[in-house]
Amino acid sequence: MDQHAPLTAYDLTRPATALCPLVFTSPHSGRDYPLEFLAAARLDAQSLRRSEDAFVEELFAAAPRLGAPLLAARFPRAWCDANREPWELDPGMFDTPLPPWVNSASPRVGAGLGTIARVVASGEAIYRRRLSFGEAESRVRNCWEPFHTALGDLIAETRVQFGACLLVDCHSMPSHPAPGADQPDIILGDAHGTACAPRATRLIEAALQRQGYRVRRNDPYAGGYITRHYGRPRERVHAIQIEIARSLYMDEARIERHAGFDRLRANLAAILAGLAQEDWSFL
């Protein structure tokens, strides 16, 4: 794990030539943990990583080679969550009252998973002290805003070049706590058909199924802020979230790649290669 302050908010890997109207993002795989964050946390560094969608940007690393950009956050989700509104904040985390325009009533805030998370994904509290609003504002200004500026620019460029854009927001999901439970390998979230053209969702679903993956839609992950905010099919911008079961590629307790990682990455590269060749003129 990197234990230095992030040098930049994100890594953007562009293709040599854009060949398709696809844009890929990985907002939750960042693992640059600032030293001041580690010092303020009541959890150890390994426990903080439970919120990561670890290694997801590596799983989709073929995208630029196949003609589509890949934007990956470098900052960790537990530090600042790029898949939230910019100001979803829990008043109980702060040492002074928050500005009245802050959204403190969202379900994400109630669950402790706002823009500045109160807990890690497994439910343990992160901080040993209350934060100042200035700390939250600094994270939004230095992490959230640059990431979304870059994403907005990519979408606009793609729409100008191809007439439309399909944003694929890449995530991973924990294994079901009950052994043997019927958990799919992949969940596609298109906000129940409102963020992405149904035909595009079907194309991606079929491509995954041809590789043997069990795919489900929208349950329980229908898409977060990125999918719902950017997915505007009437404006020819479509967004879909993909959640991949971590058990396919990593040891979840140790947060390490296992033997399935290379196979999954190769399968995804084959899927992306097919998607890059699709006729997306219907978008």
Side-chain angles (χ1 to χ4, degrees):
M1 179 188 306
D2 295 328
Q3 295 192 1
H4 57 273
L7 297 175
T8 183
Y10 57 83
D11 289 319
L12 172 57
T13 310
R14 292 180 176 271
T17 303
L19 301 175
C20 57
L22 303 179
V23 170
F24 291 85
T25 59
S26 180
H28 285 165
S29 57
R31 47 189 177 270
D32 283 358
Y33 284 79
L35 286 174
E36 63 266 31
F37 182 36
L38 298 174
R42 57 179 294 276
L43 300 175
D44 61 31
Q46 184 76 0
S47 298
L48 289 171
R49 295 197 67 192
R50 294 175 188 161
S51 290
E52 278 181 32
D53 289 346
F55 317 121
V56 163
E57 86 287 4
E58 297 178 20
L59 291 173
F60 288 86
R65 187 173 72 248
L66 298 167
L70 172 62
L71 176 69
R74 291 188 59 165
F75 54 91
R77 178 188 186 186
W79 172 254
C80 182
D81 194 336
N83 200 25
R84 296 290 183 266
E85 297 173 21
W87 303 107
E88 290 187 70
L89 302 177
D90 181 349
M93 292 177 60
F94 294 90
D95 58 9
T96 57
L98 296 177
W101 41 264
V102 162
N103 180 1
S104 59
S106 80
R108 281 80 55 190
V109 169
L113 296 170
T115 316
I116 309 299
R118 175 170 46 83
V119 300
V120 290
S122 52
E124 295 113 321
I126 293 174
Y127 296 98
R128 63 176 80 248
R129 62 170 176 83
R130 293 179 186 267
L131 305 179
S132 69
F133 175 70
E135 289 175 280
E137 186 174 27
S138 175
R139 297 184 201 182
V140 171
R141 302 295 185 203
N142 294 318
C143 297
W144 193 100
E145 288 184 354
F147 180 90
H148 282 275
T149 296
L151 179 52
D153 289 346
L154 283 174
I155 291 170
E157 292 170 15
T158 303
R159 192 170 176 271
V160 167
Q161 182 172 356
F162 295 98
C165 177
L166 174 56
L167 171 63
V168 183
D169 191 36
C170 306
H171 297 260
S172 66
M173 59 185 176
S175 297
H176 197 284
D182 180 27
Q183 184 187 35
D185 298 314
I186 293 170
I187 296 176
L188 295 177
D190 61 4
H192 301 282
T194 63
C196 185
R199 182 175 171 185
T201 301
R202 288 195 300 271
L203 276 171
I204 295 171
E205 180 180 56
L208 292 163
Q209 289 172 334
R210 283 194 295 272
Q211 288 285 348
Y213 294 111
R214 296 169 297 162
V215 183
R216 193 160 70 199
R217 294 192 201 179
N218 293 309
D219 178 21
Y221 306 112
Y225 172 81
I226 288 173
T227 304
R228 296 172 186 271
H229 176 74
Y230 292 103
R232 301 174 183 177
R234 290 184 180 180
E235 299 174 23
R236 305 197 73 184
V237 178
H238 305 256
I240 190 166
Q241 178 177 281
I242 180 168
E243 294 270 2
I244 299 174
R246 292 174 189 160
S247 58
L248 292 175
Y249 72 93
M250 65 178 280
D251 180 323
E252 295 177 69
R254 298 166 66 94
I255 315 181
E256 294 177 352
R257 306 165 193 80
H258 65 42
F261 179 87
D262 289 338
R263 180 173 62 252
L264 175 59
R265 180 169 58 178
N267 288 347
L268 287 172
I271 290 165
L272 298 189
L275 294 177
Q277 297 298 317
E278 286 284 350
D279 178 3
W280 296 104
S281 59
F282 66 88
L283 291 177

